[in-house]
Structures are given as structure tokens and as C-alpha cells.
Amino acid sequence: MTSPLLADLNPRQHEAVTLPHTSALVLAGAGSGETRVLTTRIAWLIATGQASPLSILAVTFTNKAAREMLLRLSALTPVSVRGMWIGTFHGLCNRMLRAHHRDANLPQLFQIMDTADQLALIKRLYKAHGLDAERYPPRELAWFIASAKEAGLRPQAVEAGDPFARARVEHYALYEAMCQREGVVDFAELLLRSYELLAGRDAIREHYRRRFSNLLVDEFQDTNLLQYRWLQLLAGPDAAVFAVGDDDQSIYAFRGANAANMQHFERDFGRPERPARLVKLEQNYRSHGNILDAANALIRHNRSRLGKELWTSEGKGEPIRAFAAPTDLDEAAFVVDAVKGIADEGVPLSEIALLYRSNAQSRVLEHALFNAGLPYRVWGGMRFFERAEVKHALGYLRLVASPEDDGAFLRVVNFPPRGIGARTLEQLQDAARGRGTSLWQAASSGAVGGKAGASLGAFVTLIEKLRAETASLPLSEAVAQVNEGSGLVAHYRSEKDGEDRIENLEELVNAAQGFVREAEIAGDAPMLGDRVSPDAPVPDEGPSEGATDPLTAFLAHAALEAGETQEAEGRPALQLMTVHSAKGLEFHTVFVTGLEEGLFPHENSLNEMDGPEEERRLMYVALTRARRRLYLTHAQSRMLHGQTRWHVASRFLDELPRDLVAWLSPARTRTGAVEVDEAEWGRAARAPAKDADAPGWRIGQNVRHAKFGVGVIVGAEGRGSDARVQVNFRDVGVKWLALEYAKLEAA
DNA sequence: TCATCCTTCGTTTTT
DNA sequence: CGAAGGATGA
């Protein structure tokens, strides 16, 4: 049987797509068509009648990936995607919890907190209980709670030996109680609650196991322990789990991702009668040979790998270009020049990416681009649903939907200002605490008297009015009504630069409209909850399941999908982003900048478990973003935290085969240091080394030591036989050396 | 209640 | 160096 679905698949892709009903791990290299294989697998299962759309659950990490999958799938199959569960882990868990909110012990209209909401809640918690925010920074507690939840641990299960740990566990318990009282959940809670629901309710677990005989997972190397266990619970004995991932692209260990999940896949998802299969996709359709050869050579330096080698049927292409700049400013100037040249060749600016390890590095690049008049777009930063005015509008909507939500109450009770100050709120919070109620209840029952009480009463009346007015309106009109009725629009109109904010409020109305439209097209958008039937242990499944409450669904959507950082502008622009956010993207030309020891690999990672290997994977991701042309640059000195720092070239440059790399800057020594003459040394050399008057040596110079290896002189003191220099060695860090004894040589 | 000063701190980030 | 958040004063 030759289905048009399978045309153009290479043998390995074909094998993966047409595997029999058994669990399989697809080890998919960068640019090997992983998304295509995943979606084609689904389409093939349906086209051949092996699976009903209802039996499909496909899970991704980002909304973008989920949308992409949905889009491709609707192009591949005539069957409607409605009925399939396709979405992010969080989106699917949300959906499940809405359907079983009683069993999950959640209010029907529970609200989802984003990171900022969560932090605000912790701060309120600290205030309410008089906890020490100095000793237990709120951010740290948030991190602690998320880690515990990702390990599947409730407070009583967390081991706490010392008093400090015990205190944090106590705070965790208080946090939980507060969330429960207010009817809010954080991101990790969505997963943990859903996990516990499946673990604790046999009927529900069996229901979903019967239904989902085909589980498909994208970016499997990014799953954390809880997500892995969630999948295990969901996968019944007859289920086939199709997991696609690349251990070499695991770059999110710092937030709990556990690439070792790939190593356990066979053991945990294989069945005696149907052992798990392994398919490797190694043919790359993105990059030219030299780029792949470099990436392969680099990643071979990692020890813990499943093992994989990318190849292409295309030619070798151009050599990789490398450049050593004296300073970060020179590096930026070089990039600007090169970009101009590439643009002159006809490459669109939007096909050129500038990558860096940390966000702070974008500043210098932006500055140079701005001065050169080159349009650019920086990824990362403030996202749409995180903007203050949007959060305020969402706060009103949340309060309308769920009055117990103290976080929402506090956000909007005095915005726009209506004379409800800190003192009043303190009284109100005391009253609410005393009665064990929400702020909303305390306010509406007149717990605070006098003028302040009257202001609160007016606020309560306002919210009730909004609730009544919006109850029967379509979602987008309800949002518009809240924008106006809350006084937000009027407030921003009177503000000097409030136009942008009003525009964003209008954009929120559009977002609501778009959300509803999408939900209608999909028949049942992933974010819209299933019909809730509290009496039946398991709600009906099927195309008829629909949205019960568009407002709550929209609020969940706003929390789960923060939206674009910056709308793409009309004219094409250079793309600036961290290597992390470049994952999954590709460009004609890629610049990887700041390739310096301490920056990339980042100094903080060197002491971490698996840190250096994760940094190398990050570099691997960076290299494999390029289709045709790849530039690698580093600067010998760079402004960091307000002072000039000297760095040796990154070890990753040394790990690339020499014959693949063409150095555009002066000759490079075997060790990776760069020899430049005084004229080219530029700014760095002109800055006089104040106390580095030891003859023959100067700050910034590359040196080699018989035992410590290569490094850069970063400081000096004394003279004559006392002269000492401070050297930052690539491998062993900063050391002071007496020039009289140390056998230093120029490198 | 807001504005301004001052301290602190500095990887990566999606949901 | 520069952003962000807390504290302080008008």
C-alpha cells in the first residue's frame, strides 16, 4: 500500500510513521523532520483505520508546537481534528481538571496563576503570617514549591532535616492552603493535580486509558519526572506511546527537564509481548555538510548520549567563519558589517539570526544595529498577557468569574485609584482572616465600616454591576464592557502616554474574539473545558463536548499562553535572541556571539552537575540553527556588570575540527588564543594596563602555563622579583603567579 | 498616593 | 552599567 501520506519520507521516517501498535522512541536529530513524522504518524493511524481520532492524545511543551501540529494535521487528514486531545501538558491537564473538578477537589471555575501572580500570592502569604522574606526569599520559595511538585511531592512528603528546610516545607503547606482557599492553581499544580486524579481515581484513570490508546509526545527529552509519570499513568497496557526527542538538544535541565527519561523509555513503556522500538532519524534536511560536521564533532565531546550522527545529502557548503574581536564593541561592529554584506547578497534580514547565551549581551548588539540603521527584532521580554494594563483587565474578569480570588481583588480594588488605601485593605484583610473568608466576602458583608467601608461597598457594587452586564454578552463584548466599566480606559485616557495601553486593552478584545473563533473552528479548542457533569464519574467524551464557560476558558488561555513578545513588524528585521529561544527555529545565516569561557559555557554552569555537558548541548543547538552560513565570534574583553572582563575563547571553538573553520581575524594558535598585532588589538591595547608594568606582560594578554594551560592575564601587582600576575585560566580558573618562578609563555 | 532615591544584583524559561 | 524593587519623603 502506498499512501500519498508516505511519499517523500526517507526510509527511517517511513519506518517510524508505519510502526505497528507498539511504544516507540524516535531519536530525532535537529532538522530531521521530527514534527512531520509525528503528525504523519497520526494521519497514517487514522487513514489506515488503525486508530480513531478519539483515541489520539498528542502532547507538546509549547502552544506554538501544539498549534503547528494541529495545522499540519488538518492539512494531512480529511478527518476533523475535533475529538483528538492535542495540546500542551498544562493545557491537557487543565482540560482534564475542568472535567473532573470535583474529584480533583477544585472549584469549577478555578483560576490559573502565572509566575507573577504566584509571586504576589507568596508575598501576601508572608505578610499574613509574618514570615521572614529576607531569610526565605519569595522567589526561592516559588522555586522550591515548583521543584517539589515536579517531583510529585506534597508538603507532608517532602523530607526536611534541618530547621531551615522544615520552615520552607511549612511555608509550602501554608501556600497550598491559601491557593485552595482562593481557588487558584499554579502551573505545576495543574500537572500534579491531574497526576493525582489519575492515580487516585480508578474509574477516571481506566476511562482515559480505554480512550487513549495512542499517546504521542513531542520534545520528549524536555519532560520532567512528573510529566513522565503522568504519561505512565495514562498509558494503559494496550497503549502505544510514540515519543519523539533528541537527548543532544536537552537544554532545560535547569527547570526540571530530565533527559534520562529517554533512557528509561524502553523499560517503562515497552511490554513483554510488544517491546518498545527505537528509530533514529539522522538525515538532516536543514544544514549544509560543514555545519553538520562541526555540530557532530562538538557533541561527540559529551559522554552521556544515546548516540546519533547527523548527515545530509547536500554538499559541504561554505566553511564556518570565525572572528576574534578585541572587545565586545568590535564584535558588534564586525557583526554589523557582515550582516550588511549578507543582506547585499540578497538574503532577507529575517533570515539572519544573532544568538547569544544571555539576554544582557543583546544591548551592545542592539546599539550597533541601531546606529547602523538596521532593523531588528529582539525576542524575549514582556509578553502580551503580562502587560500591566492587560493584567488589570484580566483581574477584573477574574473577579467577575471567581470572587474568591483575592489576588485578582487586590490587583484591581484600587486601580484605577478609588480611595481604597493600604490602611483600608489592612483592615479588610484582618477582617477576612478573622472570619476565614475571602476579601470579596468581607468587603460585601460590610466588615469595614466608615468612609473606607463605603468605598469598598462601591467597589463591590461595581463588580456586581459588571457581572450582571456581562453575563449574557459574547466574550469579546464582555471584555470591552469590562474595559470601559472598570474605568480602566478612562484612567489611561487621562494619562499622558496611555494611548499604547488603551490600544492593548482593545487588543485584548480582539484576542477574546480570536479565541472564540478558534474554539468554534476546532469545534472544541484545547483550552475550552469539557462539559462538566458532576454526577457522572466520567463525563461523556465526543464531539458534543463543548465549552461551558467561555470567560473561564479565556482566562485559562491567557494564563497558559502568555502571547507574543513583540508582534512582527511590517518590514523584515534581523532576529536577536538567546540560544535557548532559538531552539526549534532555523535561519539562512546564524551568528553565535560571545563565545567565551565564562559566558558560553557560562561560569555558573561549570560547578553544576552535568552543567558543562548541558552548555555543550546548547552550543549544539546554536550550530544546528544555521542552514547555509555560520559565524562564530568572541571578544577578548567585554563590559560585564559595569567592569571590563577578560575572557579566553570558548572551549567549544577548540572542539570544532580546524579544517572546517575559517578564521577571519588574525592567525589563531593551537590553543584557541588569538595572536593579533598591536594595530589590530585596538581599543583593548590602547587602554593602558595601570599596574601591569611587569616587563613583557600586559593585561589582556594570552598566556600559557605548563601545568594550568591557557589563560589571560587579568591583573598584576608588584615589581621586580615581587612581580605577580593574575591569570584567568580556561580550565582551572583565576590564579596569582609569581613571574620569577612561573614558567609563563605568551600564547 | 505617588514620585524619587537608593540599594542590590546580575544564566538560560515555558507553562 | 542599568534594571528593578524597596524604602522614604512630599
Side-chain angles (χ1 to χ4, degrees):
Chain A
M1 177 187 60
T2 46
S3 158
L5 275 177
L6 306 178
D8 307 329
L9 292 183
N10 71 39
R12 296 280 78 76
Q13 291 176 332
H14 187 281
E15 179 190 355
V17 165
T18 60
L19 280 171
H21 187 80
T22 181
S23 286
L25 179 64
V26 179
L27 197 51
S32 65
E34 56 269 39
T35 310
R36 183 171 178 217
V37 164
L38 204 96
T39 47
T40 309
R41 166 78 176 172
I42 297 175
W44 184 80
L45 285 173
I46 292 171
T48 55
Q50 297 179 68
S52 135
L54 288 176
S55 76
I56 305 282
L57 181 146
V59 62
T60 63
F61 275 87
T62 65
N63 293 295
K64 199 174 152 200
R67 267 197 307 273
E68 164 99 1
M69 198 182 291
L70 229 34
L71 194 71
R72 291 210 198 187
L73 205 50
S74 32
L76 285 178
T77 168
V79 176
S80 162
V81 293
R82 82 168 40 192
M84 297 185 201
W85 277 37
I86 295 181
T88 62
F89 277 101
H90 294 85
L92 298 183
C93 288
N94 175 46
R95 182 173 179 168
M96 196 180 279
L97 292 174
R98 298 277 169 204
H100 310 282
H101 65 92
R102 283 199 168 189
D103 287 299
N105 189 25
L106 285 171
Q108 180 175 359
L109 300 184
F110 70 85
Q111 302 294 311
I112 301 168
M113 292 185 290
D114 66 15
T115 318
D117 298 331
Q118 187 194 15
L119 206 61
L121 186 137
I122 291 177
K123 286 178 181 167
R124 271 194 292 127
L125 179 86
Y126 276 29
K127 247 198 206 123
H129 297 273
L131 303 177
D132 188 351
E134 298 279 298
R135 269 190 52 196
Y136 309 97
R139 275 173 198 287
E140 220 166 79
L141 184 70
W143 181 85
F144 173 78
I145 291 172
S147 313
K149 290 184 179 180
E150 279 164 12
L153 300 175
R154 291 294 178 190
Q156 57 278 13
V158 179
E159 284 189 36
D162 56 299
F164 182 80
R166 261 199 299 282
R168 286 212 301 193
V169 173
E170 248 165 64
H171 300 166
Y172 176 17
L174 291 171
Y175 170 87
E176 279 207 314
M178 192 162 183
C179 290
Q180 189 66 24
R181 222 225 67 230
E182 299 185 12
V184 294
V185 301
D186 61 39
F187 290 131
E189 185 70 26
L190 285 170
L191 289 160
L192 183 52
R193 255 331 142 111
S194 173
Y195 171 83
E196 288 170 344
L197 179 75
L198 291 171
R201 305 284 167 155
D202 298 352
I204 294 175
R205 183 178 62 252
E206 289 315 313
H207 166 78
Y208 284 108
R209 283 189 171 186
R210 262 195 309 280
R211 175 172 168 173
F212 296 123
S213 45
N214 290 284
L215 306 174
L216 299 98
V217 195
D218 193 20
E219 305 273 23
F220 189 68
Q221 78 283 352
D222 287 340
T223 49
N224 62 33
L225 189 63
L226 185 56
Q227 289 159 338
Y228 187 79
R229 292 215 221 132
W230 184 81
L231 287 166
Q232 274 188 289
L233 273 185
L234 216 46
D238 301 322
V241 180
F242 191 86
V244 181
D246 181 359
D247 55 329
D248 289 333
Q249 290 189 75
S250 164
I251 56 174
Y252 285 112
F254 71 91
R255 64 173 196 216
N258 184 209
N261 286 345
M262 297 185 79
Q263 280 153 20
H264 303 143
F265 183 87
E266 215 168 347
R267 181 192 73 199
D268 293 336
F269 290 97
R271 300 282 178 262
E273 65 288 2
R274 296 180 290 113
R277 301 278 294 267
L278 176 74
V279 180
K280 286 188 192 181
L281 303 182
E282 296 173 294
Q283 183 173 3
N284 174 291
Y285 295 94
R286 178 184 295 156
S287 310
H288 273 164
N290 284 337
I291 294 168
L292 293 182
D293 290 347
N296 283 329
L298 176 95
I299 203 66
R300 271 199 295 271
H301 285 83
N302 273 3
R303 297 215 142 258
S304 54
R305 296 181 65 210
L306 294 175
K308 191 169 43 36
E309 186 108 334
L310 294 178
W311 61 276
T312 177
S313 57
E314 305 263 323
K316 288 288 174 196
E318 302 173 14
I320 291 156
R321 294 157 165 88
F323 183 79
T327 72
D328 47 349
L329 299 171
D330 301 298
E331 183 189 40
F334 166 78
V335 170
V336 166
D337 271 357
V339 165
K340 280 184 185 158
I342 299 161
D344 286 344
E345 291 175 34
V347 177
L349 283 180
S350 56
E351 274 293 331
I352 306 174
L354 272 43
L355 307 186
Y356 34 80
R357 173 65 234 269
S358 65
N359 285 304
Q361 289 166 249
S362 77
R363 169 168 277 104
V364 179
L365 295 169
E366 285 185 67
H367 190 77
L369 292 169
F370 183 83
N371 287 337
L374 285 168
Y376 62 89
R377 174 185 176 200
V378 187
W379 292 57
M382 188 59 81
R383 330 217 23 228
F384 179 72
F385 288 110
E386 293 167 359
R387 310 185 95 89
E389 61 277 18
V390 175
K391 284 235 113 186
H392 280 127
L394 292 172
Y396 280 100
L397 291 167
R398 261 166 66 174
L399 204 53
V400 163
S402 168
E404 307 296 298
D405 189 337
D406 285 0
F409 185 99
L410 286 170
R411 174 171 274 279
V412 299
V413 66
N414 197 37
F415 196 94
R418 42 178 76 94
I420 300 172
R423 203 184 55 258
T424 307
L425 289 175
E426 203 120 309
Q427 276 177 271
L428 184 67
Q429 280 170 306
D430 284 345
R433 212 171 301 135
R435 305 166 178 211
T437 68
S438 63
L439 296 176
W440 170 262
Q441 278 177 7
S444 37
S445 61
V448 177
K451 223 168 84 187
S455 309
L456 282 172
F459 176 69
V460 168
T461 309
L462 172 72
I463 297 297
E464 276 171 347
K465 179 162 152 273
L466 287 175
R467 189 174 299 135
E469 283 171 347
T470 56
S472 55
L473 288 179
L475 180 62
S476 64
E477 286 173 39
V479 175
Q481 179 62 37
V482 165
N483 282 347
E484 289 290 340
S486 63
L488 282 174
V489 170
H491 173 80
Y492 287 125
R493 202 173 282 136
S494 69
E495 217 174 47
K496 42 197 176 313
D497 18 57
E499 300 98 48
D500 285 354
R501 296 182 186 273
I502 292 178
E503 259 175 50
N504 284 327
L505 290 177
E506 284 162 3
E507 192 51 45
L508 186 64
V509 177
N510 292 337
Q513 207 159 29
F515 175 74
V516 170
R517 202 181 312 120
E518 220 165 277
E520 278 163 4
I521 291 170
D524 178 14
M527 296 310 158
L528 295 184
D530 289 18
R531 173 148 47 84
V532 180
S533 40
D535 298 319
V538 173
D540 277 355
E541 303 284 352
S544 66
E545 67 194 353
T548 45
D549 176 15
L551 175 53
T552 302
F554 181 62
L555 289 170
H557 166 81
L560 291 177
E561 166 147 43
E564 286 283 301
T565 302
Q566 207 181 90
E567 279 303 313
E569 276 179 55
R571 61 176 180 166
L574 270 174
Q575 312 284 308
L576 273 67
M577 66 192 86
T578 63
V579 181
H580 279 95
S581 39
K583 191 173 152 213
L585 305 177
E586 60 173 64
F587 306 91
H588 174 281
T589 296
V590 168
F591 288 82
V592 187
T593 66
L595 282 167
E596 294 137 42
E597 284 295 304
L599 255 182
F600 196 2
H602 197 278
E603 53 198 348
N604 294 359
S605 75
L606 298 180
N607 306 319
E608 285 166 18
M609 230 308 233
D610 190 47
E613 295 220 339
E614 175 141 321
E615 294 287 307
R616 190 172 286 107
R617 291 192 290 270
L618 196 53
M619 178 69 174
Y620 177 77
V621 168
L623 300 180
T624 51
R625 297 311 95 195
R627 281 203 300 270
R628 295 294 171 257
R629 199 173 296 173
L630 180 59
Y631 284 86
L632 309 174
T633 67
H634 74 97
Q636 291 170 301
S637 78
R638 161 180 315 272
M639 200 62 144
L640 211 62
H641 304 335
Q643 49 188 339
T644 305
R645 303 232 323 213
W646 300 84
H647 296 283
V648 230
S650 169
R651 66 190 69 182
F652 299 147
L653 286 166
D654 288 332
E655 292 172 1
L656 307 178
R658 307 202 73 207
D659 56 328
L660 297 182
V661 183
W663 281 86
L664 305 176
S665 47
R668 192 163 165 277
T669 67
R670 197 184 65 249
T671 58
V674 173
E675 292 168 344
V676 283
D677 64 38
E678 286 298 327
E680 300 199 47
W681 184 256
R683 192 182 299 266
R686 286 193 297 277
K690 290 182 290 296
D691 42 6
D693 54 349
W697 305 103
R698 69 177 192 291
I699 288 184
Q701 180 162 14
N702 292 298
V703 294
R704 185 183 310 126
H705 184 273
K707 194 148 124 225
F708 300 140
V710 291
V712 174
I713 298 183
V714 296
E717 65 173 27
R719 48 188 66 242
S721 62
D722 290 334
R724 301 198 309 146
V725 289
Q726 190 182 30
V727 181
N728 184 11
F729 288 104
R730 193 186 64 190
D731 298 323
V732 293
V734 178
K735 294 217 180 301
W736 280 99
L737 300 171
L739 282 174
E740 200 178 355
Y741 307 110
K743 297 178 288 292
L744 269 190
E745 50 180 303

